[in-house]
Amino acid sequence: MTKKIIPIIYLLTIAFSLSDCRKDISNLVGDEPTEGTYPNVNEALWPFFMRFENEASLRNISVDLRDARITGVISDIPTNHVLGQCSYSSAEPKKLTIDLPFWNTSSDLGKEFVIFHELGHCYLGRLHDESKDSQGICKSIMRSGLEDCRDNYTSLTRKKYLDELFLEN
């Protein structure tokens, strides 16, 4: 009887020690990011990144900003009248920066406009589009702001602008 118990105890000891090793290894490797989180992106930007992915999905376009490894920060941009930018470097191939004073004073729709514009550069590879209609209204969310068209991004025109952003290519 004793001879049968010893192998069982030995097997249980090995099983418990292996499960502990797996636990330790998972802590070293780290968990996959959970839905709605974006590594190396300021947490305040997460809802807008998720919204960008959702709007693309509504147009049957697959967007995965986590996989794209876009970084995102809210920080002072020293250039006057620049609300956001997408910059490229070897250290941070796609870095989205939103101007802190703009962030602190802008509406949700204003933030969305600038973040979606910058993700248009960083993710979609879109260039600026200065086209305007006969009334001088910008036709694209991708306008540079250097020309004379007027923005008209509102809750009523949002769908039209987002259709253009995602479906222009």
Side-chain angles (χ1 to χ4, degrees):
M1 188 91 150
T2 309
K3 289 184 179 183
K4 290 182 182 179
I5 294 176
I6 292 176
I8 292 173
I9 292 173
Y10 180 72
L11 287 174
L12 287 173
T13 303
I14 290 174
F16 285 126
S17 64
L18 287 177
S19 67
D20 286 344
C21 289
R22 273 195 304 256
K23 184 177 178 184
D24 290 341
I25 290 171
S26 69
N27 287 338
L28 293 173
V29 174
D31 295 328
E32 287 294 313
T34 59
E35 184 77 23
T37 64
Y38 301 87
N40 301 311
V41 174
N42 182 303
E43 193 171 335
L45 299 173
W46 292 358
F48 297 96
F49 275 49
M50 192 178 330
R51 201 180 299 174
F52 187 87
E53 290 175 333
N54 290 338
E55 288 296 333
S57 178
L58 290 173
R59 292 157 180 85
N60 296 316
I61 297 169
S62 177
V63 170
D64 186 346
L65 296 174
R66 282 181 271 319
D67 188 49
R69 299 180 191 269
I70 295 173
T71 59
V73 298
I74 301 169
S75 176
D76 284 316
I77 297 176
T79 308
N80 288 335
H81 309 293
V82 175
L83 306 178
Q85 56 189 186
C86 174
S87 54
Y88 304 89
S89 71
S90 57
E92 293 176 300
K94 297 175 184 178
K95 180 181 180 184
L96 183 145
T97 304
I98 302 299
D99 186 54
L100 180 61
F102 164 77
W103 182 264
N104 289 335
T105 59
S106 185
S107 68
D108 183 78
L109 198 61
K111 292 172 184 176
E112 177 183 274
F113 178 87
V114 172
I115 293 166
F116 281 25
H117 172 96
E118 296 309 331
L119 288 172
H121 290 307
C122 282
Y123 186 85
L124 299 173
R126 294 280 311 269
L127 300 175
H128 285 136
D129 179 347
E130 305 301 341
S131 59
K132 58 185 173 181
D133 67 14
S134 61
Q135 298 172 332
I137 305 294
C138 304
K139 288 185 175 182
S140 176
I141 196 173
M142 294 308 299
R143 61 47 168 181
S144 70
L146 300 175
E147 299 297 323
D148 62 350
C149 70
R150 293 185 323 274
D151 289 321
N152 189 29
Y153 191 76
T154 68
S155 58
L156 298 175
T157 61
R158 180 179 181 271
K159 182 183 180 314
K160 176 184 75 154
Y161 278 101
L162 297 184
D163 286 347
E164 188 278 333
L165 174 65
F166 290 107
L167 301 175
E168 180 61 26
N169 295 329

